[in-house]
Amino acid sequence: MENQPIGIFDSGIGGLTIAYALKNKLPNESFIYFGDTKHLPYGEKSHEAIKNYSLQIALFLKSKKCKAIVIACNSASASAYSFIKDHIKDIPIYNAIDPLVNFISCNYKGKKLGIIGTKATINSNIYEDKINKQSKGLKVFSLETPLLAPMIEEGFINHEISATILKKYLNNKKLQNIDTLILGCTHYPLIKKEIEKFYKGNVKVLDSAEIISDFITLELQKSNLINTNGERKYHFVVSNYTRSFEKSAFYFFKENIKLEEIDIWK
Ligand code: DGL
């Protein structure tokens, strides 16, 4: 069991921020990564559509003998986590939201917490609900920032376009006077530095990829699922091949990768 791969999925390249952080913490693990580029962006899709896409991907990863599945997408975590768990009960399923909620309840000492994410994530209110359950009375202010994921997919990072879009969003009055910002989308660690630059060090920006990968590493250890001696292999799959995804995937995973198109809906 320990030698089997970990399945990771996202709507596109965002989940690679988590795959990369996991690769550094778990050097012997093999991964199968699935980017659902055919249905990107998930943040604009209905709850029902995200649930159905996500379950199909999780079943695909399970059919590839994955020992655990990481939903490396906040939108899919918000809409499909319980649905997937209802259908797949024999391997652990991890989502991208609980690690952050857990981190906040153990470490947050500030007064005003901000969250940015896709429409699907923010409209689900999942962060507020989960945070309020664990840390009563905490003030959470969330803002949907739908242009950020496509902007990152298109490679507009440290660019005048990203600067303009970020300025517009981060100046929104909902986020005024926050002391900490949760990046509630797995694409956003790629623009963390730009967001920090905008705040000039006055707001702590939480690196979701680090927090999520720490959490998953600990959970895998608890379940005795860490591979200690296997030879690692990485397999990257997309539902719709694009050259730009391959270029970005290489850039963000920092390793030579071969991308295979498998349309599991055909
Ligand atoms: N990476 C996904 C997330 O964490 C969102 C990108 C999309 O809208 O597809 O929510």
Side-chain angles (χ1 to χ4, degrees):
M1 185 76 166
E2 306 88 80
N3 295 348
Q4 290 164 214
I6 299 172
I8 305 174
F9 77 89
D10 178 46
S11 56
I13 62 165
L16 285 174
T17 57
I18 295 175
Y20 179 70
L22 279 172
K23 172 180 88 162
N24 290 334
K25 293 193 173 112
L26 301 168
N28 296 317
E29 298 300 330
S30 295
F31 301 131
I32 302 181
Y33 183 93
F34 190 101
D36 191 9
T37 45
K38 185 172 183 177
H39 299 119
L40 175 98
Y42 275 14
E44 302 293 311
K45 301 287 186 301
S46 69
H47 185 65
E48 274 312 298
I50 300 173
K51 266 168 67 178
N52 290 325
Y53 297 147
S54 301
L55 180 62
Q56 291 313 308
I57 300 167
L59 290 171
F60 167 77
L61 293 171
K62 187 165 150 38
S63 77
K64 296 284 173 198
K65 307 257 177 298
C66 289
K67 64 181 173 189
I69 294 176
V70 177
I71 309 175
C73 170
N74 282 263
S75 310
S77 298
S79 300
Y81 174 57
S82 341
F83 188 59
I84 294 174
K85 272 176 69 101
D86 286 346
H87 285 80
I88 301 177
K89 295 187 193 288
D90 52 346
I91 54 171
I93 313 288
Y94 304 117
N95 69 65
I97 294 170
D98 288 337
L100 270 302
V101 172
N102 204 46
F103 182 88
I104 290 296
S105 84
C106 299
N107 300 289
Y108 183 66
K109 304 264 181 299
K111 291 201 166 61
K112 187 173 172 184
L113 179 64
I115 301 177
I116 53 174
T118 65
K119 281 184 195 161
T121 302
I122 298 304
N123 292 337
S124 73
N125 269 330
I126 190 147
Y127 272 101
E128 283 92 328
D129 292 350
K130 287 192 175 216
I131 288 174
N132 283 327
K133 244 191 209 150
Q134 287 204 25
S135 323
K136 297 240 171 329
L138 211 153
K139 291 246 173 306
V140 184
F141 293 82
S142 53
L143 180 73
E144 55 186 58
T145 49
L147 290 178
L148 296 185
M151 175 192 96
I152 294 164
E153 290 277 338
E154 286 301 320
F156 290 118
I157 297 171
N158 289 321
H159 187 277
E160 59 191 290
I161 291 182
S162 52
T164 309
I165 295 176
L166 278 174
K167 195 166 153 205
K168 178 77 188 150
Y169 283 145
L170 301 178
N171 275 331
N172 187 294
K173 63 175 185 309
K174 285 188 186 163
L175 298 179
Q176 289 317 292
N177 304 318
I178 55 167
D179 45 63
T180 302
L181 181 69
I182 290 184
L183 304 183
C185 172
T186 53
H187 281 66
Y188 300 174
L190 305 179
I191 50 168
K192 181 177 178 239
K193 286 210 169 73
E194 242 185 304
I195 295 177
E196 285 172 334
K197 200 166 128 202
F198 172 88
Y199 283 122
K200 300 191 176 78
N202 296 319
V203 168
K204 184 165 174 49
V205 181
L206 290 181
D207 189 334
S208 44
E210 280 304 305
I211 294 170
I212 293 166
S213 58
D214 277 344
F215 181 96
I216 292 170
T217 302
L218 218 73
E219 291 298 313
L220 289 171
Q221 277 163 353
K222 280 192 218 158
S223 313
N224 288 326
L225 282 175
I226 301 277
N227 189 5
T228 46
N229 50 21
E231 199 183 297
R232 68 182 191 192
K233 281 201 197 91
Y234 300 140
H235 184 188
F236 293 86
V237 180
V238 284
S239 48
N240 183 244
Y241 176 86
T242 57
R243 178 81 189 107
S244 74
F245 182 85
E246 193 159 57
K247 269 168 75 182
S248 315
F250 170 77
Y251 178 66
F252 292 112
F253 198 67
K254 301 183 177 56
E255 212 169 286
N256 221 347
I257 64 168
K258 202 170 153 339
L259 205 54
E260 185 187 353
E261 180 178 290
I262 302 180
D263 184 349
I264 58 175
W265 287 277
K266 259 188 193 156

